[in-house]
Amino acid sequence: KVIEASDKLLAMACFCIGTDQIDLKAAQDNGIPVFNAPFANTRSVAELIIGNIVGLSRKVGDCTAAMHRGAWFKQAIGCFEIR
């Protein structure tokens, strides 16, 4: 229904693995090309994971919550350095 109602749609792109979320038959019937870029987000995902590892090891979330409550921890007790 969405593809048929989209009269200005030029193309559809999937930035993930696969095209299961798109009705390929409807897209083909309406002359809309479908592109797949399965590894387009690989670097961004890797950067997010590295950032999360550093944030969790330094307890950034806990310290941020404490700071919003008015506390300021000058020591890094219980935090770890990533090597």
Side-chain angles (χ1 to χ4, degrees):
K1 293 179 181 181
V2 174
I3 293 174
E4 293 171 2
S6 303
D7 58 344
K8 295 182 181 180
L9 186 62
L10 300 176
M12 298 176 78
C14 302
F15 295 99
C16 56
I17 304 294
T19 56
D20 295 342
Q21 67 274 24
I22 295 177
D23 185 352
L24 296 176
K25 176 78 169 111
Q28 183 180 14
D29 292 345
N30 288 283
I32 300 169
V34 177
F35 301 96
N36 186 21
F39 302 107
N41 297 331
T42 303
R43 182 175 293 166
S44 298
V45 171
E47 291 170 348
L48 174 67
I49 297 303
I50 291 170
N52 285 341
I53 290 170
V54 171
L56 289 170
S57 69
R58 302 278 173 94
K59 297 187 177 183
V60 172
D62 295 339
C63 292
T64 300
M67 189 176 62
H68 282 283
R69 290 191 304 268
W72 178 256
F73 300 128
K74 294 181 181 181
Q75 298 177 354
I77 296 173
C79 295
F80 299 96
E81 184 175 315
I82 303 299
R83 295 181 186 208

